[in-house]
Amino acid sequence: MKKAIITFVILFCISLFTTIVSFAVCGGELIKTGIEYGVEQYREYKAEQLETNNINDMIEMA
């Protein structure tokens, strides 16, 4: 019975370690991808705002 408990604890620890490493690696990739997507969307938004402001300036000058 003692060997079974020790084996269970060892396998549980290995499983826990593997899970933590997996979340760290995959989570890091998700965060990196999310930041890249966010920066791209922000640049598109700023370009759109600049274009809108230019059109408004043209309308006001007319």
Side-chain angles (χ1 to χ4, degrees):
M1 185 65 154
K2 190 175 181 182
K3 286 183 182 180
I5 293 174
I6 291 172
T7 304
F8 172 76
V9 169
I10 290 172
L11 290 175
F12 180 77
C13 290
I14 291 171
S15 175
L16 185 64
F17 175 75
T18 305
T19 302
I20 291 170
V21 169
S22 175
F23 277 129
V25 171
C26 294
E29 285 296 316
L30 287 174
I31 291 171
K32 184 178 122 183
T33 303
I35 289 172
E36 289 172 356
Y37 180 74
V39 168
E40 179 183 332
Q41 291 300 314
Y42 177 74
R43 287 184 181 147
E44 288 180 13
Y45 169 76
K46 290 305 274 183
E48 185 179 303
Q49 287 298 104
L50 183 62
E51 184 178 313
T52 302
N53 287 341
N54 288 341
I55 292 171
N56 287 340
D57 289 343
M58 286 184 218
I59 292 171
E60 289 175 0
M61 291 173 71

